[in-house]
Amino acid sequence: MVQVPVTVGLTTKPVTDLADGASWSFAQARAAGSLTTTTGPDGQAALRLQHDFTRSTATRGSYAVAPSPIEVPGQPQAITMLVDGDATGAWPRLQVRDGDGVVKQLDGPMITWEGWKETTFTVPAGTPFPLTLERVRIMETRSSALYQGDIAFTDIAAVVAPDVEQPAATPVHDPVIVTDGTVEGYAQQIAVMSDAQFVGRAPGSDTVAAARRTLQEIVAAEPDLLVINGDLVDEGAPIDFDLAARVLEEEVGDAVPYLYVPGNHEIMGGSIGAFEAAFGPAQQVSDLGGTRVVTLDTSAGSLRAGGLDQIRLLEDALASATADEDVTGVVVFFHHPTEDPLPDDASQISDRHEAAAVDALLGRFRAESGKSVAAVNAHVGAFHARSFDGVSNVINGNSGKSPSSTPDNGGFTGWTLLGIDPAEGVVGANPAPVTDRLEWLRAEVRARVDGLALDAPAELALGESAVVSGSVSQDGTRSVPVAWPMSADWSGDGVSVVDAAGSGLEAGAEVLRLNPATGELTAVGSGTAVLRLTVNGVTEEVTVTVPEAEAPEAEAPECEVPGEAPTTAPGSSTGKAQAIERGAGNPPWGRCEG
């Protein structure tokens, strides 16, 4: 059953009249400029943004920052704004914060006109409400576009439909991500990190420290290969690549072989040539045992934009893998996913026809070759996984930069460890829908752990149940529930861990039984048990006591015939006869009152 909320009619409601325009402030990224008050076409209050975009070839921006977040009324389908354009082709965006507290960007059309024009910023379907407006942004992403711009804006309004309660969508948690356990038993392991986004001019920044910490954790895990799946650096400047090379040399060196896949931030300062000069080809094909590894370039937003040659390279790599008996599976890495799991769809391959064609190509390879295949991406700012046509698709979250989603929706920092068993890669013409896919490849999502908490009772009565949970703290402010898509390992002494169906995964349920899928902890025997939770090598434990059940007090039997004590002595034959008549072997006054 599909539920679709329907409303009729749209109204326009003001967001701000900019009467407080003098309180707005100017901010910039790799630019210079100013923010001043002016008037609109009808004499209304307006703001004027002047900016100098000649100072860098990386992405630049000038911003009008509201003095405090401005609440947007209702559940808008779009936000409109009058813009006095300068025909420079700059990119206007509105920075808002959604109902989940996540910062999002609403995109407007490139400013190709001169004079005043109403501009529309669409609100993506599924956006949590209410929204608050934080800033108006004017962006320039073209490295060759160097100019000084001058725009003004006013009349910010919301296009609002009647409020409607949207039905809650049931999330799909693909089991390719291990939620209880590790990928330790798989023959091959590939570590994946991405989206640190540090700059060379700040080698001591928090993002550099986060990247170093991630690399240290990866080296300690001793994988067979490390894939850096894009956006290790932020601006793609020579100083960025110099720092990236230094960090990789100092933290990885020869300990783990690695491949560096370019993301969009690797070409912020120019073409892909600078990246390739520093780190080698943007596209590569190599074999790791029986697993073929293909890396591709979506730095310009799509595969096609990176050159038709790489699409042919992918087709050829799959075709040769079909014919090569030594290759049992293929893992394809590229920065932008074909499908963005977040509501705004802002982080997927821009060409939707190409995205569908890539998915179809991978699905066709699995069906026709009888071999396994997976795609691994990044860029979204959240950990996620899905599957299609027997193909596992894993999205690595950020390894340094702040996430772009809520903590319970994959919005945390960390990295991914893929476990691959080449012996299980050949699945034949009629594979099992799920089990064959998972026997070949699983993903262990390792969250960065600044602190780990385990919430469990210290005592349970025999037969009693309670819900236990864990949480990971990050960066001093973020609390992340220990649940899909985060991987964890539940264990303990005197504890039996069972799967969602209730089947035992570990022997020895002497005291407690735990179902990690539901968090249900049940006392099944008396004694003391230790419950343990491990996330990315950090362990927290709680001792749980189950006292022995007290023996129930014996209940006094009821009198079958109430009455007075017999007049004849109990030991006499007459007394015994009276007791028998009352249906008992003992005198009734010895076992009940009255």
Side-chain angles (χ1 to χ4, degrees):
M1 180 179 68
V2 177
Q3 293 180 317
V4 180
V6 177
T7 63
V8 178
L10 297 171
T11 59
T12 300
K13 296 183 178 181
V15 174
T16 175
D17 60 6
L18 294 179
D20 63 347
S23 300
W24 287 55
S25 59
F26 176 78
Q28 54 80 29
R30 295 173 287 276
S34 63
L35 179 70
T36 56
T37 58
T38 184
T39 55
D42 298 318
Q44 68 269 52
L47 286 173
R48 181 184 183 187
L49 262 175
Q50 294 175 289
H51 37 266
D52 182 354
F53 286 163
T54 66
R55 303 189 174 200
S56 174
T57 58
T59 294
R60 290 136 283 159
S62 67
Y63 316 132
V65 183
S68 60
I70 303 169
E71 184 173 349
V72 179
Q75 300 178 355
Q77 295 189 1
I79 296 176
T80 61
M81 183 171 70
L82 276 179
V83 177
D84 185 13
D86 59 1
T88 57
W91 182 18
R93 310 181 88 186
L94 299 182
Q95 179 174 308
V96 300
R97 191 175 296 270
D98 69 20
D100 286 337
V102 177
V103 173
K104 296 186 180 299
Q105 309 298 330
L106 306 183
D107 298 335
M110 303 303 180
I111 301 176
T112 57
W113 65 90
E114 291 184 344
W116 288 98
K117 177 182 176 180
E118 185 175 82
T119 307
T120 299
F121 302 80
T122 301
V123 177
T127 298
F129 296 111
L131 301 180
T132 53
L133 174 64
E134 296 184 337
R135 59 178 61 187
V136 175
R137 311 175 77 213
I138 303 298
M139 309 296 298
E140 182 51 74
T141 61
R142 300 167 295 174
S143 60
S144 59
L146 306 174
Y147 58 88
Q148 294 177 337
D150 188 346
I151 67 103
F153 62 89
T154 188
D155 288 357
I156 304 176
V159 180
V160 180
D163 288 354
V164 60
E165 186 173 344
Q166 302 184 45
T170 302
V172 177
H173 294 164
D174 194 280
V176 71
I177 293 179
V178 178
T179 51
D180 177 40
T182 68
V183 297
E184 185 176 347
Y186 283 79
Q188 294 177 340
Q189 294 182 341
I190 300 177
V192 185
M193 71 168 292
S194 62
D195 300 276
Q197 291 188 219
F198 57 70
V199 292
R201 64 177 180 273
S205 67
D206 290 343
T207 50
V208 173
R212 288 184 180 276
R213 177 175 171 179
T214 299
L215 291 169
Q216 291 165 7
E217 291 179 3
I218 289 172
V219 169
E222 300 182 341
D224 300 289
L225 177 69
L226 161 63
V227 177
I228 304 163
N229 210 6
D231 287 3
L232 180 63
V233 301
D234 188 37
E235 298 177 358
I239 191 174
D240 289 1
F241 292 143
D242 289 345
L243 178 58
R246 192 174 91 212
V247 168
L248 288 168
E249 176 59 31
E250 292 173 355
E251 303 299 346
V252 180
D254 297 328
V256 179
Y258 65 85
L259 298 172
Y260 189 169
V261 181
N264 52 300
H265 283 268
E266 270 72 29
I267 64 167
M268 284 296 185
S271 68
I272 194 64
F275 168 82
E276 292 186 314
F279 294 102
Q283 309 93 0
Q284 298 187 57
V285 179
S286 58
D287 288 346
L288 180 68
T291 304
R292 177 150 297 174
V293 176
V294 181
T295 64
L296 302 172
D297 173 19
T298 63
S299 59
S302 71
L303 290 170
R304 178 174 51 82
L308 293 177
D309 286 348
Q310 72 170 343
I311 296 178
R312 284 191 285 268
L313 178 145
L314 174 60
E315 293 173 337
D316 291 345
L318 294 174
S320 61
T322 301
D324 191 338
E325 294 183 356
D326 293 332
V327 175
T328 62
V330 179
V331 186
V332 185
F333 295 86
F334 48 98
H335 185 63
H336 296 68
T338 56
E339 296 288 342
D340 182 351
L342 302 184
D344 55 12
D345 293 334
S347 299
Q348 60 195 14
I349 283 180
S350 56
D351 186 329
R352 303 313 300 147
H353 295 290
E354 176 189 289
V358 171
D359 284 358
L361 176 63
L362 298 181
R364 190 163 56 249
F365 167 79
R366 190 187 195 250
E368 295 178 355
S369 70
K371 298 181 179 182
S372 298
V373 63
V376 182
N377 311 114
H379 190 59
V380 172
F383 290 89
H384 189 75
R386 67 180 181 114
S387 62
F388 58 92
D389 298 333
V391 180
S392 292
N393 180 200
V394 177
I395 296 178
N396 187 72
N398 291 355
S399 298
K401 180 186 176 184
S402 295
S404 301
S405 185
T406 55
D408 60 343
N409 196 34
F412 52 88
T413 52
W415 56 284
T416 302
L417 185 63
L418 302 176
I420 302 173
D421 187 352
E424 301 291 342
V426 178
V427 295
N430 297 297
V434 177
T435 55
D436 285 344
R437 178 168 64 91
L438 303 184
E439 287 175 357
W440 173 65
L441 180 144
R442 298 293 298 275
E444 181 185 342
V445 173
R446 296 198 173 191
R448 178 177 299 122
V449 181
D450 294 333
L452 178 62
L454 173 56
D455 185 9
E459 183 174 309
L460 279 175
L462 188 63
E464 183 183 5
S465 294
V467 175
V468 301
S469 62
S471 61
V472 167
S473 59
Q474 296 185 335
D475 303 328
T477 58
R478 189 182 307 117
S479 179
V480 189
V482 177
W484 193 99
M486 184 192 299
S487 298
D489 192 12
W490 294 88
S491 61
D493 300 330
V495 179
S496 177
V497 181
V498 301
D499 61 18
S503 302
L505 300 179
E506 298 178 13
E510 305 298 334
V511 181
L512 301 173
R513 182 176 65 243
L514 172 69
N515 185 337
T518 61
E520 184 179 39
L521 183 70
T522 304
V524 295
S526 59
T528 300
V530 178
L531 178 65
R532 294 190 184 90
L533 171 63
T534 301
V535 178
N536 196 10
V538 178
T539 300
E540 187 71 20
E541 63 181 39
V542 171
T543 300
V544 182
T545 301
V546 180
E548 290 190 12
E550 295 182 5
E553 294 183 3
E555 295 183 2
E558 297 180 358
C559 293
E560 295 183 5
V561 181
E564 298 179 356
T567 55
T568 308
S572 67
S573 58
T574 306
K576 292 178 181 178
Q578 289 176 331
I580 293 172
E581 288 175 1
R582 287 177 165 81
N586 293 310
W589 60 87
R591 55 185 173 85
C592 58
E593 297 179 359

